[in-house]
Amino acid sequence: MLVMKFGGSSVADAEHIRRAAKIVLDHIDKRPVVVLSAMGDTTDHLLEAAEKAIGDGPISVEFSLEKISETYLGALQGLGLSTLFTPDLRELLSDLATLLSGISLIKELSPKTKDYLVSFGERMSVRLVARYLQSLGVNALPVDAWDAGFVSNSSFTSADLEPESWRSIPDALLPLLEEGILPVVTGFIAKDTKGAITTLGRGGSDLTATMIAAACKAEAAQVWKDVDGILTADPRIVPDARPVSAVTYEEAAELAFFGAQVLHPRAMYPCSKTGTPVLVKNSYNPQAPGSVIGSSLPPDAHHVRAITTRGNITLIDIVSSRMVGQYGFLAEVFSCFAKHRISIDMLATSEVSVSLTVDAAQDIGAAIGEIARIASVEVKTKKAIVTIVGLVSHSSVILESAFGVCASLDIQAEMVSHGASKVNIGFIVDGAEAGAVVRGLHKKFFGGQA
Ligand code: ASP
Ligand code: MG
């Protein structure tokens, strides 16, 4: 058994769906379970539609719905399928219209309603693609995540799967495979124990795929994208970035968190528990080997896997002479951040100071005000984290090269941290300089033009 996941861009229109279906057919003897995202940017469009419905009322509902139904019905037509044979798709579109009018009347969107709303994208995708696979003679069946055994908690918009899913997923899917059915499962969504629809967080269909692969003991989870696997850097920053053949689960999770749009960071968890390989493949170039995410690396692996950067970072320097030989100071600082629900990304401490970074999207005003009462605080905005993901056992060599690159570019690294997961070294630079640093590091570690 094999799990094959196609993200939004891989099912964006009729042409992409044809390509995805061909790849599925090429693997049909492996007994695949297919996992799909909503078509293209449908999830964003659904959220925009709700915002508009709240702001402008019913007229905008019709307008935004037109965009969404055009995507799905347009693909249906492009695939040579008749709407007559997809009553379930039309029914979902009409339920969606009702929901959006409801939102335009009550003018509010709770996290629970939001999850219900975005679930339409994935539910329509699986019906459309399963219908197309059927037209090619495949015994495909659209399956909503809850009928595939996905049970989550009730943390709407970013729910966690309940442990019982490890049993209920194979219980639901394996019998279908036994019957020769190809299940086409909705990514991203689940239901809580009370039966309400939840989502696993944006990009969560990766987690759906890895969870099915791990729970069903599949030979692998394949994640089909539009790049040749995990790249050594963001190709928009480093044009000659190249695919990495193998990375560990920990490295992949770090890469996902620190700005490489590889996979959802939480998606690594199920397969790392069972040792199930996750393959990142290119649907435009299926013959390319892609990247394998697994528990170990080949013995000849390079000591740096990739270089990433994440912008919009705020650096907070907290200095207090009270820290010297004292206990409880750091606890006070952190409990203040916790109280204001501010998440900290990177951290470095010395005897009298602590520097930490937060995402600029978070409102830190109140927390900073409180901390300023016990220490002097300096806030620096528009920073970026540059992260070198690789073997920290080679950290001296990596750091030496990294600082050499910064020095040659006359750029100051303001804070350095070894990730707790022991696979990354991160440092902070000015946001405007991050691109140059990444290019310089890439050239240093991987050669090629900078
Ligand atoms: N459709 C959802 C999103 O855009 C889930 C996914 O694509 O994985 O976030
Ligand atoms: Mg998507």
Side-chain angles (χ1 to χ4, degrees):
M1 172 201 172
L2 182 66
V3 178
M4 305 179 75
K5 182 243 155 175
F6 296 90
S9 61
S10 305
V11 290
D13 52 27
E15 191 198 327
H16 284 84
I17 293 174
R18 276 211 178 83
R19 183 177 296 127
K22 163 132 197 353
I23 295 171
V24 172
L25 286 177
D26 287 344
H27 291 80
I28 205 85
D29 53 329
K30 301 251 180 195
R31 299 200 306 160
V33 170
V34 170
V35 174
L36 299 180
S37 294
M39 286 179 71
D41 294 327
T42 300
T43 309
D44 290 325
H45 294 155
L46 285 165
L47 292 170
E48 280 161 23
E51 301 272 305
K52 284 214 201 99
I54 291 172
D56 316 339
I59 307 155
S60 70
V61 168
E62 264 167 53
F63 174 74
S64 349
L65 241 147
E66 219 165 278
K67 202 152 81 173
I68 294 163
S69 45
E70 249 172 45
T71 307
Y72 282 85
L73 299 179
L76 200 63
Q77 211 172 24
L79 293 167
L81 303 169
S82 157
T83 49
L84 287 178
F85 297 108
T86 45
D88 43 359
L89 195 65
R90 280 186 303 160
E91 199 177 304
L92 282 173
L93 276 168
S94 106
D95 287 353
L96 176 58
T98 313
L99 173 63
L100 283 169
S101 326
I103 293 171
S104 79
L105 291 175
I106 49 173
K107 296 201 177 300
E108 79 181 6
L109 186 63
S110 68
K112 188 174 175 182
T113 309
K114 216 181 218 179
D115 280 357
Y116 176 51
L117 170 71
V118 294
S119 75
F120 280 88
E122 271 68 10
R123 289 193 282 155
M124 294 194 294
S125 277
V126 297
R127 283 161 177 80
L128 172 64
V129 174
R131 180 77 196 89
Y132 177 59
L133 286 166
Q134 287 161 9
S135 78
L136 302 177
V138 178
N139 192 6
L141 180 74
V143 183
D144 290 320
W146 40 91
D147 294 327
F150 278 79
V151 184
S152 78
N153 64 13
S154 307
S155 297
F156 295 103
T157 74
S158 136
D160 273 321
L161 293 174
E162 293 290 355
E164 66 189 86
S165 304
W166 283 91
R167 235 196 20 254
S168 50
I169 292 170
D171 282 355
L173 292 178
L174 295 180
L176 296 178
L177 292 176
E178 286 305 314
E179 283 178 56
I181 291 170
L182 187 152
V184 183
V185 183
T186 54
F188 180 49
I189 57 179
K191 267 188 184 172
D192 69 7
T193 46
K194 296 189 211 82
I197 295 180
T198 59
T199 64
L200 309 175
R202 293 304 305 268
S205 50
D206 290 337
L207 176 58
T208 307
T210 53
M211 186 63 195
I212 294 176
C216 297
K217 302 192 170 61
E219 82 181 58
Q222 291 181 341
V223 178
W224 290 86
K225 315 201 84 142
D226 48 13
V227 285
D228 275 334
I230 298 175
L231 301 179
T232 47
D234 182 337
R236 285 166 304 183
I237 302 176
V238 183
D240 65 339
R242 46 180 174 274
V244 186
S245 57
V247 307
T248 65
Y249 299 113
E250 291 80 7
E251 289 168 348
E254 292 286 337
L255 282 169
F257 182 73
F258 285 106
Q261 293 295 312
V262 193
L263 289 184
H264 192 284
R266 279 197 292 158
M268 268 354 110
Y269 167 72
C271 286
S272 69
K273 230 179 122 177
T274 52
T276 310
V278 180
L279 267 75
V280 183
K281 301 268 293 173
N282 187 355
S283 48
Y284 289 88
N285 186 12
Q287 306 313 325
S291 304
V292 186
I293 309 170
S295 351
S296 58
L297 295 167
D300 58 346
H302 193 287
H303 54 269
V304 174
R305 213 70 53 237
I307 298 149
T308 71
T309 182
R310 199 152 75 110
N312 273 327
I313 297 293
T314 299
L315 175 63
I316 305 169
D317 280 328
I318 301 165
V319 183
S320 169
S321 51
R322 254 186 65 200
M323 264 180 90
V324 185
Q326 281 287 339
Y327 55 85
F329 178 77
L330 285 179
E332 244 176 279
V333 169
F334 289 124
S335 63
C336 178
F337 282 109
K339 190 172 97 191
H340 293 282
R341 305 177 72 86
I342 293 165
S343 133
I344 296 168
D345 294 335
M346 244 176 79
L347 176 74
T349 61
S350 78
E351 205 38 58
V352 294
S353 74
V354 51
S355 300
L356 42 90
T357 68
V358 299
D359 195 292
Q362 303 185 90
D363 184 4
I364 54 170
I368 297 297
E370 262 176 55
I371 295 169
R373 279 188 235 133
I374 54 169
S376 71
V377 187
E378 198 182 341
V379 175
K380 299 172 181 164
T381 56
K382 298 199 175 66
K383 299 287 173 188
I385 300 181
V386 173
T387 309
I388 304 169
V389 177
L391 300 171
V392 171
S393 52
H394 290 64
S395 65
S396 305
V397 187
I398 297 175
L399 281 170
E400 188 193 4
S401 313
F403 288 136
V405 167
C406 287
S408 70
L409 293 168
D410 201 18
I411 285 171
Q412 296 304 316
E414 295 194 44
M415 169 183 158
V416 183
S417 147
H418 275 210
S421 64
K422 306 269 189 294
V423 295
N424 83 54
I425 292 170
F427 53 92
I428 303 294
V429 295
D430 269 337
E433 296 169 340
V437 175
V438 171
R439 278 188 291 276
L441 289 170
H442 195 271
K443 183 167 185 209
K444 176 87 195 164
F445 292 122
F446 300 105
Q449 67 208 43

